[in-house]
Amino acid sequence: MMKIRIIPCLDIIKNKVVKGVNFKNIKVMGNAVEMAKNYSLSGADELCMLDINASYQNRKTFIKTVESIAKVINIPLTVGGGVSALSDITDLLNAGADKVSINSAAVKNPKLIRKASLKHGSQCIVVAIDGKRYGKKMRVVVKGGREITNKELVSWAKRAQNLGAGEILLTSMDTDGVQNGFDSEMLKNVTNSVSIPVIASGGVGSLNHFYLGYLTKSTGLLAASVFHSKKYNIITVKKYLKKRGVPVRL
């Protein structure tokens, strides 16, 4: 049976880990390299790192952060933010990332997914999708949630899979940072429509929320605030899930 992955997420601005609510009200949580090392030692299955202001910063700074983190962890590292070309993906993989997440660039140029998966293998390519409700429809948004697209959420997830994505990182803009739980409806809509792994992101505030995330058929459960604030540690989450019959690595 596939074991559920518990994945801390580091949102990075200038080598600092930050966190906000609905992608706003950003505050500094700590040093990226130190936090990454701690999560690796404390039982995280994978680590996700996103340069949330990549389009405004010098990418060389971020590359150095990736290199520094890759040296101090022994778990898979997914890196994203500001990836706009095949060369960006290659650079991040060469810097030590195991997987690269693409979001806005994939929406703008879907062929990038195909090119990247053909060059590096689909297992290295994660398509990050930020979803938001507009009336009764679930739409894809880009640029940190600031720009709505004409893409319907599920159809875009299916297309990303068909183009060669090896995994989907799905964040609900409606629940991100609010700590009221994952967006189960949005997640189920996607997991029931694709066959590749889906990482649930956005909204964890309690141990039960991790369990509810598991029920959506997501294979990875990503969280930030509850880990950064030390409300819960990785082992606490895994022991709770194991008691409820969820397969985890302990």
Side-chain angles (χ1 to χ4, degrees), residues 74-216:
N74 60 2
I75 55 176
L77 174 64
T78 298
V79 177
V83 176
S84 59
L86 187 59
S87 59
D88 294 329
I89 296 170
T90 302
D91 288 345
L92 289 169
L93 291 172
N94 288 339
D98 297 283
K99 295 182 277 189
V100 174
S101 169
I102 51 177
N103 189 335
S104 299
V107 172
K108 183 177 180 180
N109 177 23
K111 290 181 181 179
L112 178 60
I113 303 172
R114 174 74 71 198
K115 289 179 180 178
S117 64
L118 287 174
K119 179 169 184 176
H120 297 293
S122 61
Q123 76 281 355
C124 294
I125 307 305
V126 178
V127 172
I129 302 176
D130 295 335
K132 187 175 178 60
R133 287 174 178 76
Y134 286 89
K136 295 182 178 180
K137 294 183 178 180
M138 294 183 183
R139 303 278 288 279
V140 175
V141 293
V142 294
K143 297 183 179 178
R146 293 186 292 269
E147 183 178 307
I148 183 174
T149 74
N150 61 359
K151 295 188 182 298
E152 191 275 327
L153 181 70
V154 171
S155 61
W156 172 236
K158 291 165 70 174
R159 188 178 181 203
Q161 173 179 272
N162 292 336
L163 286 167
E167 192 166 35
I168 288 173
L169 169 57
L170 179 61
T171 301
S172 170
M173 293 296 301
D174 299 318
T175 63
D176 178 73
V178 181
Q179 298 192 39
N180 286 332
F182 289 119
D183 193 326
S184 293
E185 180 188 17
M186 186 177 289
L187 286 163
K188 287 177 182 177
N189 284 352
V190 173
T191 59
N192 287 333
S193 301
V194 300
S195 58
I196 57 177
V198 175
I199 298 173
S201 169
V204 169
S206 73
L207 291 173
N208 188 51
H209 291 158
F210 284 100
Y211 180 71
L212 294 175
Y214 162 71
L215 295 181
T216 68

